[in-house]
Amino acid sequence: MHRRVLLAAPALLALPAHAQPWSPDRPIRILVPYTPGAINDTLARLIGEKMGDALGQLGVVENRPGASGSLAIAATAQAAPDGTTMVVANTANLTMNPFLFANTGYDPQKDLTPLATCARVMNALVVPANSPYRTLAELVAAAKANPGKLSYASSGAGSSPHLAAELFRHRTGTDMAHVPYRGSAPGLADLIAGRLDFSIDNLPNTLPHVEGGRLRALGVTGSERDPTMPGVPTFQEAGFPGYEVYVWFGFVGPARLPAPIRDRLADAIIRIANGAETAERIRRAGATVWTRNPAEFAVLIGEELRKWGTVIRAANLRIE
């Protein structure tokens, strides 16, 4: 008996090493596809600063803007699959850019490993405060009666607000004129001045103007009403079933990331995002905590690629 225990000892001693969960051996680099101040950047910093408690290593944020976010995503795709490089991507980066640009430098389903989503924001369709349109149905009726005459602003060709409006146009069978701007602020300024008919923009961008009485919200693009504008119906409530648009944000790593590393990172991101302090700070940034695990995130990417691919091809959009 004593001899058998001694013979088994090496194997018993080896078990803890194999049973230990993966831990990074150096700080985790979190790439951000945009400049500081963007919501991707805010989320990267909120999650990164808590990684020391969750994983034993801090998340170090590195802003790498350019090519509508594609530079940071491509750099992540090319990184070693060791768990020390990830990027905070959004809907546009992963499911719109592949159809808009000839070469983004990555395939979102082949070159990346989905880890976890952490937040999302819905959009609101807004019109000037003195607009004659008080419902989505009235706006659509006017667009059908006057093809090509109604105009809408966006934060740029191929941006998520632009494509949200294209999806609306596609679903309603209307012809409306797109007026792209360099960012949301100048487009909303012209909308407030009455130079345009409407815009579908991220709720954090439109809410201050709605609350200030400068714009009127006709609908929100979420699956349910937003608590900041409880009197504004969803598109589905307003008679447009199946129209739902969120801009979501999630962490992805390079392809071939080993499952133990993937799962440990995903668990840390989800637990940090759902923590009371981080969740409140995400809410103050204008977003809602919304977490999905690696398998659910992969399904989401596939569904959104199909949806936005259809919209972009139908609109014949291409950015050189």
Side-chain angles (χ1 to χ4, degrees):
M1 180 69 179
H2 181 67
R3 182 172 180 273
R4 284 198 298 269
V5 171
L6 289 176
L7 288 171
L12 291 171
L13 289 172
L15 280 176
H18 293 294
Q20 287 293 321
W22 170 83
S23 293
D25 58 5
R26 58 185 182 276
I28 298 170
R29 186 172 58 141
I30 304 175
L31 300 185
V32 175
Y34 305 104
T35 56
I39 191 165
N40 294 62
D41 179 74
T42 299
L43 293 169
R45 295 178 191 280
L46 288 177
I47 301 295
E49 69 184 26
K50 298 284 188 181
M51 280 187 168
D53 296 332
L55 296 170
Q57 294 284 352
L58 285 175
V60 179
V61 174
E62 179 182 324
N63 296 89
R64 194 175 291 194
S68 295
S70 294
L71 288 182
I73 312 296
T76 302
Q78 295 161 10
D82 59 7
T84 60
T85 300
M86 63 177 73
V87 62
V88 185
N90 61 28
T91 310
N93 305 145
L94 296 182
T95 66
M96 296 176 180
N97 285 1
F99 301 103
L100 291 168
F101 297 91
N103 181 20
T104 58
Y106 59 90
D107 182 314
Q109 292 182 299
K110 294 179 180 179
D111 300 328
L112 299 165
T113 297
L115 298 172
T117 63
C118 59
R120 68 180 182 180
V121 298
M122 66 175 74
N123 296 333
L125 188 151
V126 289
V127 297
N130 61 354
S131 170
Y133 313 120
R134 307 198 71 86
T135 67
L136 290 175
E138 290 178 0
L139 178 71
V140 170
K144 288 184 174 180
N146 302 278
K149 297 296 177 62
L150 269 65
S151 59
Y152 66 91
S154 85
S155 54
S159 65
S160 59
H162 174 206
L163 294 178
E166 283 293 334
L167 178 62
F168 183 55
R169 194 178 68 79
H170 179 72
R171 293 283 177 87
T172 56
T174 50
D175 179 16
M176 297 178 279
H178 173 223
V179 183
Y181 288 80
R182 289 182 178 273
S184 291
L188 291 176
D190 273 1
L191 182 64
I192 290 167
R195 300 187 185 96
L196 300 147
D197 293 294
F198 73 98
S199 179
I200 302 179
D201 207 335
N202 299 159
L203 196 62
N205 296 334
T206 57
L207 182 60
H209 301 297
V210 173
E211 292 179 332
R214 296 177 292 276
L215 294 174
R216 182 191 309 137
L218 304 187
V220 293
T221 65
S223 56
E224 55 189 28
R225 297 189 184 199
D226 188 88
T228 61
M229 295 194 295
V232 179
T234 67
F235 276 57
Q236 299 184 53
E237 288 177 314
F240 302 94
Y243 184 93
E244 180 182 303
V245 175
Y246 286 96
V247 179
W248 41 258
F249 305 86
F251 290 76
V252 297
R256 299 178 300 283
L257 201 60
I261 298 177
R262 177 200 65 199
D263 294 344
R264 184 89 197 281
L265 290 171
D267 178 69
I269 293 163
I270 289 170
R271 283 192 290 111
I272 293 169
N274 282 306
E277 180 188 349
T278 304
E280 173 59 20
R281 291 171 71 184
I282 288 174
R283 186 193 66 77
R284 291 203 304 266
T288 301
V289 173
W290 189 70
T291 54
R292 293 294 183 270
N293 65 32
E296 293 166 334
F297 193 5
V299 170
L300 173 68
I301 290 171
E303 292 173 344
E304 295 277 277
L305 280 167
R306 287 188 289 274
K307 177 168 82 173
W308 295 116
T310 299
V311 172
I312 292 166
R313 284 190 290 265
N316 196 29
L317 296 174
R318 199 71 172 174
I319 298 174
E320 299 301 331

mmCIF file with all atom_site columns, all heavy atoms in Angstrom, residues 301-319:
data_model
loop_
_atom_site.group_PDB
_atom_site.id
_atom_site.type_symbol
_atom_site.label_atom_id
_atom_site.label_alt_id
_atom_site.label_comp_id
_atom_site.label_asym_id
_atom_site.label_entity_id
_atom_site.label_seq_id
_atom_site.pdbx_PDB_ins_code
_atom_site.Cartn_x
_atom_site.Cartn_y
_atom_site.Cartn_z
_atom_site.occupancy
_atom_site.B_iso_or_equiv
_atom_site.pdbx_formal_charge
_atom_site.auth_seq_id
_atom_site.auth_comp_id
_atom_site.auth_asym_id
_atom_site.auth_atom_id
_atom_site.pdbx_PDB_model_num
ATOM 1   N N   . ILE A 1 301 ? -22.580 37.729 -34.170 1.00 0.00 ? 301 ILE A N   1
ATOM 2   C CA  . ILE A 1 301 ? -21.791 38.224 -35.304 1.00 0.00 ? 301 ILE A CA  1
ATOM 3   C C   . ILE A 1 301 ? -22.332 37.643 -36.611 1.00 0.00 ? 301 ILE A C   1
ATOM 4   O O   . ILE A 1 301 ? -22.488 38.356 -37.609 1.00 0.00 ? 301 ILE A O   1
ATOM 5   C CB  . ILE A 1 301 ? -20.305 37.882 -35.109 1.00 0.00 ? 301 ILE A CB  1
ATOM 6   C CG1 . ILE A 1 301 ? -19.711 38.714 -33.969 1.00 0.00 ? 301 ILE A CG1 1
ATOM 7   C CG2 . ILE A 1 301 ? -19.515 38.132 -36.407 1.00 0.00 ? 301 ILE A CG2 1
ATOM 8   C CD1 . ILE A 1 301 ? -18.318 38.293 -33.549 1.00 0.00 ? 301 ILE A CD1 1
ATOM 9   N N   . GLY A 1 302 ? -22.644 36.346 -36.626 1.00 0.00 ? 302 GLY A N   1
ATOM 10  C CA  . GLY A 1 302 ? -23.187 35.721 -37.833 1.00 0.00 ? 302 GLY A CA  1
ATOM 11  C C   . GLY A 1 302 ? -24.511 36.327 -38.245 1.00 0.00 ? 302 GLY A C   1
ATOM 12  O O   . GLY A 1 302 ? -24.743 36.611 -39.432 1.00 0.00 ? 302 GLY A O   1
ATOM 13  N N   . GLU A 1 303 ? -25.399 36.536 -37.276 1.00 0.00 ? 303 GLU A N   1
ATOM 14  C CA  . GLU A 1 303 ? -26.711 37.123 -37.575 1.00 0.00 ? 303 GLU A CA  1
ATOM 15  C C   . GLU A 1 303 ? -26.580 38.550 -38.094 1.00 0.00 ? 303 GLU A C   1
ATOM 16  O O   . GLU A 1 303 ? -27.255 38.943 -39.072 1.00 0.00 ? 303 GLU A O   1
ATOM 17  C CB  . GLU A 1 303 ? -27.576 37.111 -36.314 1.00 0.00 ? 303 GLU A CB  1
ATOM 18  C CG  . GLU A 1 303 ? -27.991 35.720 -35.855 1.00 0.00 ? 303 GLU A CG  1
ATOM 19  C CD  . GLU A 1 303 ? -28.707 35.733 -34.527 1.00 0.00 ? 303 GLU A CD  1
ATOM 20  O OE1 . GLU A 1 303 ? -28.627 36.760 -33.795 1.00 0.00 ? 303 GLU A OE1 1
ATOM 21  O OE2 . GLU A 1 303 ? -29.341 34.722 -34.185 1.00 0.00 ? 303 GLU A OE2 1
ATOM 22  N N   . GLU A 1 304 ? -25.709 39.328 -37.479 1.00 0.00 ? 304 GLU A N   1
ATOM 23  C CA  . GLU A 1 304 ? -25.554 40.721 -37.887 1.00 0.00 ? 304 GLU A CA  1
ATOM 24  C C   . GLU A 1 304 ? -24.862 40.845 -39.242 1.00 0.00 ? 304 GLU A C   1
ATOM 25  O O   . GLU A 1 304 ? -25.166 41.751 -40.024 1.00 0.00 ? 304 GLU A O   1
ATOM 26  C CB  . GLU A 1 304 ? -24.775 41.487 -36.820 1.00 0.00 ? 304 GLU A CB  1
ATOM 27  C CG  . GLU A 1 304 ? -25.496 41.602 -35.494 1.00 0.00 ? 304 GLU A CG  1
ATOM 28  C CD  . GLU A 1 304 ? -26.497 42.745 -35.475 1.00 0.00 ? 304 GLU A CD  1
ATOM 29  O OE1 . GLU A 1 304 ? -26.078 43.887 -35.229 1.00 0.00 ? 304 GLU A OE1 1
ATOM 30  O OE2 . GLU A 1 304 ? -27.689 42.488 -35.714 1.00 0.00 ? 304 GLU A OE2 1
ATOM 31  N N   . LEU A 1 305 ? -23.956 39.939 -39.549 1.00 0.00 ? 305 LEU A N   1
ATOM 32  C CA  . LEU A 1 305 ? -23.339 39.937 -40.876 1.00 0.00 ? 305 LEU A CA  1
ATOM 33  C C   . LEU A 1 305 ? -24.390 39.701 -41.949 1.00 0.00 ? 305 LEU A C   1
ATOM 34  O O   . LEU A 1 305 ? -24.379 40.354 -43.007 1.00 0.00 ? 305 LEU A O   1
ATOM 35  C CB  . LEU A 1 305 ? -22.256 38.864 -40.959 1.00 0.00 ? 305 LEU A CB  1
ATOM 36  C CG  . LEU A 1 305 ? -20.890 39.198 -40.338 1.00 0.00 ? 305 LEU A CG  1
ATOM 37  C CD1 . LEU A 1 305 ? -20.040 37.946 -40.203 1.00 0.00 ? 305 LEU A CD1 1
ATOM 38  C CD2 . LEU A 1 305 ? -20.152 40.250 -41.165 1.00 0.00 ? 305 LEU A CD2 1
ATOM 39  N N   . ARG A 1 306 ? -25.299 38.783 -41.699 1.00 0.00 ? 306 ARG A N   1
ATOM 40  C CA  . ARG A 1 306 ? -26.364 38.519 -42.688 1.00 0.00 ? 306 ARG A CA  1
ATOM 41  C C   . ARG A 1 306 ? -27.268 39.738 -42.840 1.00 0.00 ? 306 ARG A C   1
ATOM 42  O O   . ARG A 1 306 ? -27.636 40.118 -43.970 1.00 0.00 ? 306 ARG A O   1
ATOM 43  C CB  . ARG A 1 306 ? -27.163 37.281 -42.270 1.00 0.00 ? 306 ARG A CB  1
ATOM 44  C CG  . ARG A 1 306 ? -26.404 35.970 -42.473 1.00 0.00 ? 306 ARG A CG  1
ATOM 45  C CD  . ARG A 1 306 ? -27.288 34.768 -42.243 1.00 0.00 ? 306 ARG A CD  1
ATOM 46  N NE  . ARG A 1 306 ? -27.627 34.599 -40.833 1.00 0.00 ? 306 ARG A NE  1
ATOM 47  C CZ  . ARG A 1 306 ? -26.868 33.955 -39.957 1.00 0.00 ? 306 ARG A CZ  1
ATOM 48  N NH1 . ARG A 1 306 ? -25.702 33.452 -40.327 1.00 0.00 ? 306 ARG A NH1 1
ATOM 49  N NH2 . ARG A 1 306 ? -27.244 33.828 -38.687 1.00 0.00 ? 306 ARG A NH2 1
ATOM 50  N N   . LYS A 1 307 ? -27.641 40.355 -41.726 1.00 0.00 ? 307 LYS A N   1
ATOM 51  C CA  . LYS A 1 307 ? -28.545 41.505 -41.784 1.00 0.00 ? 307 LYS A CA  1
ATOM 52  C C   . LYS A 1 307 ? -27.909 42.682 -42.518 1.00 0.00 ? 307 LYS A C   1
ATOM 53  O O   . LYS A 1 307 ? -28.491 43.231 -43.467 1.00 0.00 ? 307 LYS A O   1
ATOM 54  C CB  . LYS A 1 307 ? -28.950 41.931 -40.369 1.00 0.00 ? 307 LYS A CB  1
ATOM 55  C CG  . LYS A 1 307 ? -29.840 43.177 -40.348 1.00 0.00 ? 307 LYS A CG  1
ATOM 56  C CD  . LYS A 1 307 ? -30.457 43.403 -38.987 1.00 0.00 ? 307 LYS A CD  1
ATOM 57  C CE  . LYS A 1 307 ? -29.536 44.105 -38.029 1.00 0.00 ? 307 LYS A CE  1
ATOM 58  N NZ  . LYS A 1 307 ? -30.227 44.457 -36.754 1.00 0.00 ? 307 LYS A NZ  1
ATOM 59  N N   . TRP A 1 308 ? -26.709 43.081 -42.092 1.00 0.00 ? 308 TRP A N   1
ATOM 60  C CA  . TRP A 1 308 ? -26.098 44.276 -42.677 1.00 0.00 ? 308 TRP A CA  1
ATOM 61  C C   . TRP A 1 308 ? -25.551 44.018 -44.072 1.00 0.00 ? 308 TRP A C   1
ATOM 62  O O   . TRP A 1 308 ? -25.519 44.936 -44.902 1.00 0.00 ? 308 TRP A O   1
ATOM 63  C CB  . TRP A 1 308 ? -25.022 44.816 -41.754 1.00 0.00 ? 308 TRP A CB  1
ATOM 64  C CG  . TRP A 1 308 ? -25.595 45.306 -40.457 1.00 0.00 ? 308 TRP A CG  1
ATOM 65  C CD1 . TRP A 1 308 ? -25.376 44.815 -39.209 1.00 0.00 ? 308 TRP A CD1 1
ATOM 66  C CD2 . TRP A 1 308 ? -26.557 46.360 -40.300 1.00 0.00 ? 308 TRP A CD2 1
ATOM 67  N NE1 . TRP A 1 308 ? -26.116 45.499 -38.283 1.00 0.00 ? 308 TRP A NE1 1
ATOM 68  C CE2 . TRP A 1 308 ? -26.847 46.456 -38.917 1.00 0.00 ? 308 TRP A CE2 1
ATOM 69  C CE3 . TRP A 1 308 ? -27.186 47.233 -41.187 1.00 0.00 ? 308 TRP A CE3 1
ATOM 70  C CZ2 . TRP A 1 308 ? -27.743 47.394 -38.409 1.00 0.00 ? 308 TRP A CZ2 1
ATOM 71  C CZ3 . TRP A 1 308 ? -28.087 48.168 -40.675 1.00 0.00 ? 308 TRP A CZ3 1
ATOM 72  C CH2 . TRP A 1 308 ? -28.354 48.237 -39.305 1.00 0.00 ? 308 TRP A CH2 1
ATOM 73  N N   . GLY A 1 309 ? -25.174 42.785 -44.357 1.00 0.00 ? 309 GLY A N   1
ATOM 74  C CA  . GLY A 1 309 ? -24.754 42.464 -45.715 1.00 0.00 ? 309 GLY A CA  1
ATOM 75  C C   . GLY A 1 309 ? -25.886 42.687 -46.695 1.00 0.00 ? 309 GLY A C   1
ATOM 76  O O   . GLY A 1 309 ? -25.691 43.245 -47.793 1.00 0.00 ? 309 GLY A O   1
ATOM 77  N N   . THR A 1 310 ? -27.096 42.281 -46.315 1.00 0.00 ? 310 THR A N   1
ATOM 78  C CA  . THR A 1 310 ? -28.268 42.480 -47.174 1.00 0.00 ? 310 THR A CA  1
ATOM 79  C C   . THR A 1 310 ? -28.528 43.961 -47.403 1.00 0.00 ? 310 THR A C   1
ATOM 80  O O   . THR A 1 310 ? -28.771 44.406 -48.535 1.00 0.00 ? 310 THR A O   1
ATOM 81  C CB  . THR A 1 310 ? -29.508 41.829 -46.527 1.00 0.00 ? 310 THR A CB  1
ATOM 82  O OG1 . THR A 1 310 ? -29.291 40.426 -46.385 1.00 0.00 ? 310 THR A OG1 1
ATOM 83  C CG2 . THR A 1 310 ? -30.754 42.066 -47.376 1.00 0.00 ? 310 THR A CG2 1
ATOM 84  N N   . VAL A 1 311 ? -28.469 44.756 -46.327 1.00 0.00 ? 311 VAL A N   1
ATOM 85  C CA  . VAL A 1 311 ? -28.740 46.192 -46.428 1.00 0.00 ? 311 VAL A CA  1
ATOM 86  C C   . VAL A 1 311 ? -27.692 46.886 -47.294 1.00 0.00 ? 311 VAL A C   1
ATOM 87  O O   . VAL A 1 311 ? -28.028 47.685 -48.176 1.00 0.00 ? 311 VAL A O   1
ATOM 88  C CB  . VAL A 1 311 ? -28.763 46.828 -45.016 1.00 0.00 ? 311 VAL A CB  1
ATOM 89  C CG1 . VAL A 1 311 ? -28.835 48.353 -45.109 1.00 0.00 ? 311 VAL A CG1 1
ATOM 90  C CG2 . VAL A 1 311 ? -29.932 46.294 -44.210 1.00 0.00 ? 311 VAL A CG2 1
ATOM 91  N N   . ILE A 1 312 ? -26.436 46.586 -47.062 1.00 0.00 ? 312 ILE A N   1
ATOM 92  C CA  . ILE A 1 312 ? -25.354 47.274 -47.771 1.00 0.00 ? 312 ILE A CA  1
ATOM 93  C C   . ILE A 1 312 ? -25.341 46.915 -49.255 1.00 0.00 ? 312 ILE A C   1
ATOM 94  O O   . ILE A 1 312 ? -25.143 47.777 -50.117 1.00 0.00 ? 312 ILE A O   1
ATOM 95  C CB  . ILE A 1 312 ? -24.002 46.957 -47.100 1.00 0.00 ? 312 ILE A CB  1
ATOM 96  C CG1 . ILE A 1 312 ? -23.962 47.603 -45.713 1.00 0.00 ? 312 ILE A CG1 1
ATOM 97  C CG2 . ILE A 1 312 ? -22.831 47.444 -47.951 1.00 0.00 ? 312 ILE A CG2 1
ATOM 98  C CD1 . ILE A 1 312 ? -22.843 47.112 -44.822 1.00 0.00 ? 312 ILE A CD1 1
ATOM 99  N N   . ARG A 1 313 ? -25.583 45.646 -49.562 1.00 0.00 ? 313 ARG A N   1
ATOM 100 C CA  . ARG A 1 313 ? -25.640 45.249 -50.977 1.00 0.00 ? 313 ARG A CA  1
ATOM 101 C C   . ARG A 1 313 ? -26.841 45.877 -51.672 1.00 0.00 ? 313 ARG A C   1
ATOM 102 O O   . ARG A 1 313 ? -26.745 46.325 -52.828 1.00 0.00 ? 313 ARG A O   1
ATOM 103 C CB  . ARG A 1 313 ? -25.674 43.725 -51.093 1.00 0.00 ? 313 ARG A CB  1
ATOM 104 C CG  . ARG A 1 313 ? -24.318 43.063 -50.848 1.00 0.00 ? 313 ARG A CG  1
ATOM 105 C CD  . ARG A 1 313 ? -24.359 41.596 -51.214 1.00 0.00 ? 313 ARG A CD  1
ATOM 106 N NE  . ARG A 1 313 ? -25.179 40.835 -50.285 1.00 0.00 ? 313 ARG A NE  1
ATOM 107 C CZ  . ARG A 1 313 ? -24.711 40.177 -49.227 1.00 0.00 ? 313 ARG A CZ  1
ATOM 108 N NH1 . ARG A 1 313 ? -23.413 40.185 -48.963 1.00 0.00 ? 313 ARG A NH1 1
ATOM 109 N NH2 . ARG A 1 313 ? -25.516 39.515 -48.432 1.00 0.00 ? 313 ARG A NH2 1
ATOM 110 N N   . ALA A 1 314 ? -27.994 45.933 -50.978 1.00 0.00 ? 314 ALA A N   1
ATOM 111 C CA  . ALA A 1 314 ? -29.187 46.523 -51.581 1.00 0.00 ? 314 ALA A CA  1
ATOM 112 C C   . ALA A 1 314 ? -28.996 48.014 -51.865 1.00 0.00 ? 314 ALA A C   1
ATOM 113 O O   . ALA A 1 314 ? -29.489 48.536 -52.853 1.00 0.00 ? 314 ALA A O   1
ATOM 114 C CB  . ALA A 1 314 ? -30.401 46.318 -50.655 1.00 0.00 ? 314 ALA A CB  1
ATOM 115 N N   . ALA A 1 315 ? -28.236 48.685 -50.965 1.00 0.00 ? 315 ALA A N   1
ATOM 116 C CA  . ALA A 1 315 ? -27.996 50.117 -51.159 1.00 0.00 ? 315 ALA A CA  1
ATOM 117 C C   . ALA A 1 315 ? -26.800 50.390 -52.076 1.00 0.00 ? 315 ALA A C   1
ATOM 118 O O   . ALA A 1 315 ? -26.518 51.545 -52.389 1.00 0.00 ? 315 ALA A O   1
ATOM 119 C CB  . ALA A 1 315 ? -27.747 50.771 -49.799 1.00 0.00 ? 315 ALA A CB  1
ATOM 120 N N   . ASN A 1 316 ? -26.101 49.309 -52.488 1.00 0.00 ? 316 ASN A N   1
ATOM 121 C CA  . ASN A 1 316 ? -24.930 49.428 -53.350 1.00 0.00 ? 316 ASN A CA  1
ATOM 122 C C   . ASN A 1 316 ? -23.867 50.366 -52.759 1.00 0.00 ? 316 ASN A C   1
ATOM 123 O O   . ASN A 1 316 ? -23.338 51.245 -53.444 1.00 0.00 ? 316 ASN A O   1
ATOM 124 C CB  . ASN A 1 316 ? -25.351 49.920 -54.742 1.00 0.00 ? 316 ASN A CB  1
ATOM 125 C CG  . ASN A 1 316 ? -24.254 49.689 -55.788 1.00 0.00 ? 316 ASN A CG  1
ATOM 126 O OD1 . ASN A 1 316 ? -23.459 48.763 -55.669 1.00 0.00 ? 316 ASN A OD1 1
ATOM 127 N ND2 . ASN A 1 316 ? -24.207 50.537 -56.794 1.00 0.00 ? 316 ASN A ND2 1
ATOM 128 N N   . LEU A 1 317 ? -23.618 50.174 -51.458 1.00 0.00 ? 317 LEU A N   1
ATOM 129 C CA  . LEU A 1 317 ? -22.661 51.034 -50.771 1.00 0.00 ? 317 LEU A CA  1
ATOM 130 C C   . LEU A 1 317 ? -21.254 50.452 -50.870 1.00 0.00 ? 317 LEU A C   1
ATOM 131 O O   . LEU A 1 317 ? -21.055 49.251 -50.725 1.00 0.00 ? 317 LEU A O   1
ATOM 132 C CB  . LEU A 1 317 ? -23.038 51.161 -49.293 1.00 0.00 ? 317 LEU A CB  1
ATOM 133 C CG  . LEU A 1 317 ? -24.382 51.846 -48.989 1.00 0.00 ? 317 LEU A CG  1
ATOM 134 C CD1 . LEU A 1 317 ? -24.671 51.773 -47.499 1.00 0.00 ? 317 LEU A CD1 1
ATOM 135 C CD2 . LEU A 1 317 ? -24.364 53.285 -49.457 1.00 0.00 ? 317 LEU A CD2 1
ATOM 136 N N   . ARG A 1 318 ? -20.284 51.320 -51.084 1.00 0.00 ? 318 ARG A N   1
ATOM 137 C CA  . ARG A 1 318 ? -18.892 50.905 -51.109 1.00 0.00 ? 318 ARG A CA  1
ATOM 138 C C   . ARG A 1 318 ? -18.036 52.117 -50.763 1.00 0.00 ? 318 ARG A C   1
ATOM 139 O O   . ARG A 1 318 ? -18.278 53.218 -51.280 1.00 0.00 ? 318 ARG A O   1
ATOM 140 C CB  . ARG A 1 318 ? -18.495 50.398 -52.504 1.00 0.00 ? 318 ARG A CB  1
ATOM 141 C CG  . ARG A 1 318 ? -17.255 49.533 -52.526 1.00 0.00 ? 318 ARG A CG  1
ATOM 142 C CD  . ARG A 1 318 ? -17.522 48.197 -51.903 1.00 0.00 ? 318 ARG A CD  1
ATOM 143 N NE  . ARG A 1 318 ? -16.391 47.286 -52.077 1.00 0.00 ? 318 ARG A NE  1
ATOM 144 C CZ  . ARG A 1 318 ? -16.313 46.092 -51.537 1.00 0.00 ? 318 ARG A CZ  1
ATOM 145 N NH1 . ARG A 1 318 ? -17.285 45.651 -50.772 1.00 0.00 ? 318 ARG A NH1 1
ATOM 146 N NH2 . ARG A 1 318 ? -15.266 45.323 -51.729 1.00 0.00 ? 318 ARG A NH2 1
ATOM 147 N N   . ILE A 1 319 ? -17.061 51.933 -49.890 1.00 0.00 ? 319 ILE A N   1
ATOM 148 C CA  . ILE A 1 319 ? -16.181 53.033 -49.494 1.00 0.00 ? 319 ILE A CA  1
ATOM 149 C C   . ILE A 1 319 ? -14.754 52.674 -49.936 1.00 0.00 ? 319 ILE A C   1
ATOM 150 O O   . ILE A 1 319 ? -14.243 51.612 -49.582 1.00 0.00 ? 319 ILE A O   1
ATOM 151 C CB  . ILE A 1 319 ? -16.219 53.254 -47.970 1.00 0.00 ? 319 ILE A CB  1
ATOM 152 C CG1 . ILE A 1 319 ? -17.652 53.639 -47.538 1.00 0.00 ? 319 ILE A CG1 1
ATOM 153 C CG2 . ILE A 1 319 ? -15.244 54.348 -47.564 1.00 0.00 ? 319 ILE A CG2 1
ATOM 154 C CD1 . ILE A 1 319 ? -17.823 53.743 -46.049 1.00 0.00 ? 319 ILE A CD1 1
#
